[in-house]
Short mmCIF file of all heavy atoms in Angstrom, two decimals:
data_model
loop_
_atom_site.label_atom_id
_atom_site.label_comp_id
_atom_site.label_asym_id
_atom_site.label_seq_id
_atom_site.Cartn_x
_atom_site.Cartn_y
_atom_site.Cartn_z
N HIS U 17 -109.23 37.19 11.59
CA HIS U 17 -108.44 36.50 10.57
C HIS U 17 -108.90 35.05 10.46
O HIS U 17 -109.41 34.48 11.42
CB HIS U 17 -106.95 36.53 10.94
CG HIS U 17 -106.36 37.90 11.00
ND1 HIS U 17 -106.19 38.70 9.89
CD2 HIS U 17 -105.89 38.62 12.06
CE1 HIS U 17 -105.63 39.84 10.25
NE2 HIS U 17 -105.45 39.81 11.56
N ASP U 18 -108.65 34.48 9.31
CA ASP U 18 -108.89 33.05 9.13
C ASP U 18 -107.62 32.32 9.56
O ASP U 18 -106.75 32.01 8.73
CB ASP U 18 -109.25 32.75 7.68
CG ASP U 18 -109.63 31.28 7.48
OD1 ASP U 18 -109.52 30.50 8.45
OD2 ASP U 18 -110.01 30.92 6.35
N TRP U 19 -107.51 32.07 10.85
CA TRP U 19 -106.30 31.45 11.39
C TRP U 19 -106.13 30.00 10.92
O TRP U 19 -105.05 29.43 11.08
CB TRP U 19 -106.32 31.51 12.91
CG TRP U 19 -106.19 32.90 13.46
CD1 TRP U 19 -107.18 33.71 13.92
CD2 TRP U 19 -104.97 33.64 13.62
NE1 TRP U 19 -106.68 34.91 14.35
CE2 TRP U 19 -105.33 34.90 14.18
CE3 TRP U 19 -103.64 33.38 13.35
CZ2 TRP U 19 -104.38 35.87 14.47
CZ3 TRP U 19 -102.69 34.34 13.64
CH2 TRP U 19 -103.05 35.58 14.19
N ASN U 20 -107.16 29.39 10.39
CA ASN U 20 -107.07 28.00 9.95
C ASN U 20 -106.73 27.87 8.47
O ASN U 20 -106.57 26.75 7.97
CB ASN U 20 -108.40 27.28 10.22
CG ASN U 20 -108.70 27.19 11.71
OD1 ASN U 20 -107.82 26.87 12.51
ND2 ASN U 20 -109.93 27.49 12.09
N LYS U 21 -106.61 28.98 7.79
CA LYS U 21 -106.35 28.93 6.36
C LYS U 21 -104.97 28.36 6.08
O LYS U 21 -104.00 28.65 6.79
CB LYS U 21 -106.46 30.33 5.76
CG LYS U 21 -106.32 30.36 4.24
CD LYS U 21 -106.57 31.76 3.69
CE LYS U 21 -106.46 31.79 2.17
NZ LYS U 21 -106.73 33.14 1.62
N LYS U 22 -104.86 27.55 5.04
CA LYS U 22 -103.59 26.97 4.63
C LYS U 22 -103.30 27.39 3.20
O LYS U 22 -104.20 27.53 2.39
CB LYS U 22 -103.62 25.44 4.73
CG LYS U 22 -103.92 24.91 6.14
CD LYS U 22 -103.91 23.40 6.17
CE LYS U 22 -104.31 22.87 7.54
NZ LYS U 22 -103.42 23.34 8.61
N ASN U 23 -102.03 27.60 2.90
CA ASN U 23 -101.64 27.91 1.53
C ASN U 23 -100.18 27.50 1.31
O ASN U 23 -99.48 27.07 2.23
CB ASN U 23 -101.86 29.40 1.20
CG ASN U 23 -101.05 30.32 2.09
OD1 ASN U 23 -100.01 29.96 2.62
ND2 ASN U 23 -101.55 31.55 2.27
N TYR U 24 -99.74 27.62 0.09
CA TYR U 24 -98.38 27.22 -0.29
C TYR U 24 -97.34 28.07 0.42
O TYR U 24 -96.28 27.57 0.83
CB TYR U 24 -98.24 27.32 -1.80
CG TYR U 24 -96.88 26.96 -2.34
CD1 TYR U 24 -96.30 25.72 -2.09
CD2 TYR U 24 -96.18 27.87 -3.13
CE1 TYR U 24 -95.05 25.40 -2.60
CE2 TYR U 24 -94.93 27.55 -3.65
CZ TYR U 24 -94.37 26.32 -3.37
OH TYR U 24 -93.15 26.01 -3.88
N LEU U 25 -97.61 29.38 0.59
CA LEU U 25 -96.67 30.27 1.25
C LEU U 25 -96.40 29.81 2.68
O LEU U 25 -95.25 29.81 3.14
CB LEU U 25 -97.20 31.70 1.24
CG LEU U 25 -96.37 32.76 1.98
CD1 LEU U 25 -94.94 32.81 1.45
CD2 LEU U 25 -97.02 34.13 1.86
N ILE U 26 -97.44 29.40 3.39
CA ILE U 26 -97.26 28.89 4.76
C ILE U 26 -96.38 27.65 4.75
O ILE U 26 -95.49 27.49 5.60
CB ILE U 26 -98.63 28.60 5.41
CG1 ILE U 26 -99.40 29.90 5.63
CG2 ILE U 26 -98.45 27.85 6.72
CD1 ILE U 26 -100.82 29.71 6.13
N ASP U 27 -96.58 26.78 3.77
CA ASP U 27 -95.75 25.57 3.67
C ASP U 27 -94.29 25.94 3.43
O ASP U 27 -93.38 25.33 4.01
CB ASP U 27 -96.25 24.68 2.53
CG ASP U 27 -97.63 24.08 2.82
OD1 ASP U 27 -98.02 24.02 4.01
OD2 ASP U 27 -98.31 23.67 1.86
N VAL U 28 -94.06 26.93 2.56
CA VAL U 28 -92.69 27.36 2.27
C VAL U 28 -92.04 27.94 3.52
O VAL U 28 -90.90 27.60 3.87
CB VAL U 28 -92.67 28.38 1.11
CG1 VAL U 28 -91.28 28.99 0.97
CG2 VAL U 28 -93.09 27.72 -0.19
N ILE U 29 -92.76 28.83 4.20
CA ILE U 29 -92.21 29.45 5.42
C ILE U 29 -91.86 28.37 6.44
O ILE U 29 -90.78 28.41 7.07
CB ILE U 29 -93.23 30.45 6.01
CG1 ILE U 29 -93.33 31.69 5.11
CG2 ILE U 29 -92.83 30.85 7.43
CD1 ILE U 29 -94.44 32.66 5.51
N THR U 30 -92.75 27.40 6.60
CA THR U 30 -92.52 26.33 7.57
C THR U 30 -91.25 25.55 7.24
O THR U 30 -90.42 25.28 8.12
CB THR U 30 -93.73 25.38 7.59
OG1 THR U 30 -94.91 26.11 7.94
CG2 THR U 30 -93.52 24.26 8.60
N LYS U 31 -91.08 25.20 5.97
CA LYS U 31 -89.91 24.41 5.59
C LYS U 31 -88.63 25.23 5.66
O LYS U 31 -87.57 24.72 6.08
CB LYS U 31 -90.09 23.84 4.18
CG LYS U 31 -89.08 22.76 3.85
CD LYS U 31 -89.54 21.87 2.72
CE LYS U 31 -88.58 20.70 2.52
NZ LYS U 31 -89.05 19.77 1.46
N ILE U 32 -88.70 26.49 5.28
CA ILE U 32 -87.52 27.36 5.37
C ILE U 32 -87.09 27.51 6.83
O ILE U 32 -85.89 27.46 7.16
CB ILE U 32 -87.81 28.74 4.76
CG1 ILE U 32 -87.99 28.63 3.24
CG2 ILE U 32 -86.69 29.73 5.08
CD1 ILE U 32 -86.78 28.15 2.50
N ASN U 33 -88.05 27.69 7.72
CA ASN U 33 -87.71 27.82 9.14
C ASN U 33 -87.05 26.55 9.68
O ASN U 33 -86.15 26.61 10.52
CB ASN U 33 -88.95 28.16 9.96
CG ASN U 33 -89.41 29.59 9.75
OD1 ASN U 33 -88.66 30.41 9.21
ND2 ASN U 33 -90.62 29.91 10.18
N GLN U 34 -87.49 25.39 9.19
CA GLN U 34 -86.87 24.14 9.62
C GLN U 34 -85.44 24.04 9.08
O GLN U 34 -84.53 23.59 9.79
CB GLN U 34 -87.70 22.95 9.15
CG GLN U 34 -87.19 21.61 9.68
CD GLN U 34 -87.20 21.54 11.20
OE1 GLN U 34 -88.21 21.85 11.84
NE2 GLN U 34 -86.07 21.17 11.79
N ILE U 35 -85.24 24.46 7.85
CA ILE U 35 -83.89 24.46 7.27
C ILE U 35 -82.97 25.36 8.10
O ILE U 35 -81.81 25.02 8.36
CB ILE U 35 -83.93 24.90 5.80
CG1 ILE U 35 -84.62 23.81 4.94
CG2 ILE U 35 -82.54 25.18 5.26
CD1 ILE U 35 -84.89 24.23 3.51
N ARG U 36 -83.49 26.51 8.52
CA ARG U 36 -82.69 27.41 9.37
C ARG U 36 -82.30 26.73 10.68
O ARG U 36 -81.18 26.89 11.17
CB ARG U 36 -83.49 28.69 9.66
CG ARG U 36 -83.48 29.69 8.52
CD ARG U 36 -84.54 30.77 8.70
NE ARG U 36 -84.50 31.43 9.99
CZ ARG U 36 -83.71 32.45 10.32
NH1 ARG U 36 -82.85 32.93 9.42
NH2 ARG U 36 -83.78 33.01 11.51
N LYS U 37 -83.22 25.98 11.27
CA LYS U 37 -82.92 25.29 12.53
C LYS U 37 -81.89 24.18 12.34
O LYS U 37 -81.13 23.87 13.26
CB LYS U 37 -84.21 24.71 13.12
CG LYS U 37 -85.18 25.75 13.65
CD LYS U 37 -86.43 25.10 14.22
CE LYS U 37 -87.40 26.14 14.76
NZ LYS U 37 -88.63 25.51 15.30
N ASP U 38 -81.87 23.60 11.16
CA ASP U 38 -81.00 22.46 10.90
C ASP U 38 -79.60 22.85 10.46
O ASP U 38 -78.70 22.00 10.45
CB ASP U 38 -81.61 21.55 9.83
CG ASP U 38 -82.90 20.87 10.29
OD1 ASP U 38 -83.12 20.79 11.51
OD2 ASP U 38 -83.67 20.42 9.42
N HIS U 39 -79.39 24.11 10.08
CA HIS U 39 -78.12 24.48 9.45
C HIS U 39 -77.48 25.71 10.11
O HIS U 39 -78.02 26.81 10.06
CB HIS U 39 -78.33 24.72 7.95
CG HIS U 39 -78.61 23.44 7.21
ND1 HIS U 39 -77.61 22.63 6.73
CD2 HIS U 39 -79.78 22.81 6.93
CE1 HIS U 39 -78.14 21.56 6.17
NE2 HIS U 39 -79.45 21.64 6.28
N GLU U 40 -76.31 25.47 10.70
CA GLU U 40 -75.59 26.53 11.40
C GLU U 40 -75.20 27.67 10.47
O GLU U 40 -75.05 28.81 10.93
CB GLU U 40 -74.34 25.96 12.06
CG GLU U 40 -74.61 25.08 13.27
CD GLU U 40 -73.33 24.63 13.94
OE1 GLU U 40 -72.23 25.00 13.45
OE2 GLU U 40 -73.42 23.92 14.96
N ALA U 41 -75.01 27.38 9.20
CA ALA U 41 -74.63 28.45 8.27
C ALA U 41 -75.67 29.56 8.23
O ALA U 41 -75.33 30.73 7.98
CB ALA U 41 -74.44 27.87 6.86
N LEU U 42 -76.94 29.22 8.49
CA LEU U 42 -78.00 30.21 8.47
C LEU U 42 -78.29 30.77 9.86
O LEU U 42 -79.17 31.62 10.01
CB LEU U 42 -79.28 29.60 7.89
CG LEU U 42 -79.18 29.10 6.45
CD1 LEU U 42 -80.48 28.45 6.01
CD2 LEU U 42 -78.80 30.24 5.51
N GLN U 43 -77.56 30.32 10.86
CA GLN U 43 -77.76 30.80 12.22
C GLN U 43 -76.78 31.90 12.59
O GLN U 43 -76.60 32.24 13.76
CB GLN U 43 -77.65 29.62 13.20
CG GLN U 43 -78.76 28.60 12.99
CD GLN U 43 -78.57 27.33 13.77
OE1 GLN U 43 -77.79 27.28 14.73
NE2 GLN U 43 -79.27 26.27 13.38
N GLN U 44 -76.14 32.45 11.61
CA GLN U 44 -75.27 33.61 11.75
C GLN U 44 -75.38 34.43 10.46
O GLN U 44 -75.88 33.94 9.45
CB GLN U 44 -73.83 33.19 12.02
CG GLN U 44 -73.21 32.29 10.96
CD GLN U 44 -72.80 33.03 9.71
OE1 GLN U 44 -72.20 34.10 9.81
NE2 GLN U 44 -73.15 32.49 8.54
N THR U 45 -74.93 35.67 10.52
CA THR U 45 -75.10 36.58 9.38
C THR U 45 -73.80 36.88 8.65
O THR U 45 -73.79 37.03 7.43
CB THR U 45 -75.73 37.91 9.86
OG1 THR U 45 -76.99 37.63 10.49
CG2 THR U 45 -75.95 38.88 8.72
N ASN U 46 -72.68 36.93 9.35
CA ASN U 46 -71.48 37.55 8.80
C ASN U 46 -70.65 36.68 7.87
O ASN U 46 -69.88 37.20 7.06
CB ASN U 46 -70.59 38.06 9.93
CG ASN U 46 -71.24 39.20 10.69
OD1 ASN U 46 -72.08 39.92 10.15
ND2 ASN U 46 -70.86 39.38 11.94
N HIS U 47 -70.75 35.35 7.96
CA HIS U 47 -69.97 34.49 7.07
C HIS U 47 -70.72 34.37 5.74
O HIS U 47 -71.50 33.45 5.50
CB HIS U 47 -69.76 33.12 7.69
CG HIS U 47 -68.96 33.14 8.95
ND1 HIS U 47 -67.85 33.94 9.11
CD2 HIS U 47 -69.10 32.47 10.12
CE1 HIS U 47 -67.34 33.76 10.30
NE2 HIS U 47 -68.09 32.88 10.94
N LEU U 48 -70.43 35.32 4.87
CA LEU U 48 -71.22 35.49 3.64
C LEU U 48 -70.31 35.98 2.52
O LEU U 48 -69.47 36.86 2.72
CB LEU U 48 -72.33 36.52 3.89
CG LEU U 48 -73.06 37.09 2.69
CD1 LEU U 48 -74.04 36.07 2.13
CD2 LEU U 48 -73.81 38.35 3.08
N ARG U 49 -70.48 35.38 1.35
CA ARG U 49 -69.79 35.89 0.16
C ARG U 49 -70.74 35.81 -1.03
O ARG U 49 -71.33 34.75 -1.30
CB ARG U 49 -68.53 35.09 -0.15
CG ARG U 49 -67.91 35.55 -1.46
CD ARG U 49 -66.63 34.87 -1.82
NE ARG U 49 -66.28 35.19 -3.20
CZ ARG U 49 -65.16 34.81 -3.78
NH1 ARG U 49 -64.27 34.10 -3.12
NH2 ARG U 49 -64.92 35.13 -5.04
N PHE U 50 -70.89 36.92 -1.74
CA PHE U 50 -71.73 36.93 -2.93
C PHE U 50 -70.97 36.33 -4.12
O PHE U 50 -69.75 36.49 -4.23
CB PHE U 50 -72.20 38.35 -3.25
CG PHE U 50 -73.25 38.84 -2.29
CD1 PHE U 50 -72.90 39.62 -1.20
CD2 PHE U 50 -74.58 38.48 -2.47
CE1 PHE U 50 -73.86 40.04 -0.30
CE2 PHE U 50 -75.55 38.90 -1.57
CZ PHE U 50 -75.18 39.67 -0.49
N CYS U 51 -71.71 35.64 -4.96
CA CYS U 51 -71.12 34.94 -6.10
C CYS U 51 -71.49 35.64 -7.41
O CYS U 51 -72.57 36.24 -7.52
CB CYS U 51 -71.62 33.49 -6.15
SG CYS U 51 -71.32 32.56 -4.64
N GLU U 52 -70.61 35.52 -8.36
CA GLU U 52 -70.88 36.07 -9.69
C GLU U 52 -71.99 35.28 -10.36
O GLU U 52 -71.98 34.05 -10.38
CB GLU U 52 -69.62 36.02 -10.56
CG GLU U 52 -68.56 37.04 -10.21
CD GLU U 52 -69.00 38.46 -10.55
OE1 GLU U 52 -69.80 38.62 -11.50
OE2 GLU U 52 -68.55 39.39 -9.86
N ILE U 53 -72.97 35.99 -10.89
CA ILE U 53 -74.00 35.38 -11.72
C ILE U 53 -74.50 36.49 -12.64
O ILE U 53 -75.00 37.52 -12.17
CB ILE U 53 -75.13 34.75 -10.87
CG1 ILE U 53 -76.12 33.99 -11.74
CG2 ILE U 53 -75.81 35.76 -9.98
CD1 ILE U 53 -77.04 33.07 -10.96
N HIS U 54 -74.31 36.33 -13.92
CA HIS U 54 -74.50 37.43 -14.86
C HIS U 54 -75.96 37.58 -15.27
O HIS U 54 -76.33 37.43 -16.44
CB HIS U 54 -73.59 37.24 -16.07
CG HIS U 54 -72.13 37.24 -15.70
ND1 HIS U 54 -71.17 36.59 -16.44
CD2 HIS U 54 -71.48 37.80 -14.65
CE1 HIS U 54 -69.98 36.76 -15.87
NE2 HIS U 54 -70.15 37.49 -14.78
N ASN U 55 -76.78 37.89 -14.27
CA ASN U 55 -78.19 38.17 -14.50
C ASN U 55 -78.65 39.00 -13.30
O ASN U 55 -78.61 38.52 -12.16
CB ASN U 55 -78.99 36.87 -14.61
CG ASN U 55 -80.47 37.11 -14.88
OD1 ASN U 55 -81.03 38.17 -14.57
ND2 ASN U 55 -81.13 36.12 -15.46
N ASP U 56 -79.07 40.23 -13.53
CA ASP U 56 -79.45 41.12 -12.43
C ASP U 56 -80.72 40.68 -11.72
O ASP U 56 -81.06 41.21 -10.65
CB ASP U 56 -79.62 42.56 -12.94
CG ASP U 56 -78.28 43.22 -13.20
OD1 ASP U 56 -77.26 42.72 -12.69
OD2 ASP U 56 -78.24 44.24 -13.93
N ASN U 57 -81.43 39.73 -12.29
CA ASN U 57 -82.63 39.20 -11.64
C ASN U 57 -82.34 37.97 -10.78
O ASN U 57 -83.25 37.41 -10.17
CB ASN U 57 -83.69 38.85 -12.68
CG ASN U 57 -84.34 40.08 -13.27
OD1 ASN U 57 -84.87 40.93 -12.55
ND2 ASN U 57 -84.28 40.19 -14.59
N LEU U 58 -81.08 37.55 -10.76
CA LEU U 58 -80.67 36.43 -9.93
C LEU U 58 -79.59 36.90 -8.96
O LEU U 58 -78.65 37.59 -9.36
CB LEU U 58 -80.12 35.28 -10.78
CG LEU U 58 -81.11 34.54 -11.68
CD1 LEU U 58 -80.36 33.54 -12.55
CD2 LEU U 58 -82.19 33.83 -10.86
N ILE U 59 -79.73 36.52 -7.70
CA ILE U 59 -78.73 36.83 -6.70
C ILE U 59 -78.25 35.51 -6.11
O ILE U 59 -79.04 34.61 -5.84
CB ILE U 59 -79.29 37.78 -5.60
CG1 ILE U 59 -78.17 38.25 -4.67
CG2 ILE U 59 -80.42 37.14 -4.82
CD1 ILE U 59 -78.61 39.39 -3.75
#
């Protein structure tokens, strides 16, 4: 593999993982409520 390759996806993953570390809301699964949004392509 090209272990030194960089791309935008790696940057996104890195920042998302940091957000997870910084926010307790993402450090658990069960406190969740889905919201109404009238577009099946948006969740």
Side-chain angles (χ1 to χ4, degrees):
H17 297 292
D18 185 355
W19 292 100
N20 296 315
K21 185 175 181 179
K22 301 181 184 301
N23 60 26
Y24 178 57
L25 176 56
I26 293 174
D27 293 340
V28 171
I29 289 173
T30 301
K31 193 159 187 177
I32 292 297
N33 287 346
Q34 186 60 50
I35 291 172
R36 281 166 51 85
K37 290 180 180 179
D38 293 341
H39 290 274
E40 288 184 359
L42 299 177
Q43 295 171 18
Q44 58 76 45
T45 302
N46 293 335
H47 296 320
L48 166 75
R49 174 177 169 175
F50 287 96
C51 304
E52 285 291 331
I53 186 166
H54 299 153
N55 182 335
D56 284 343
N57 287 305
L58 292 174
I59 188 169

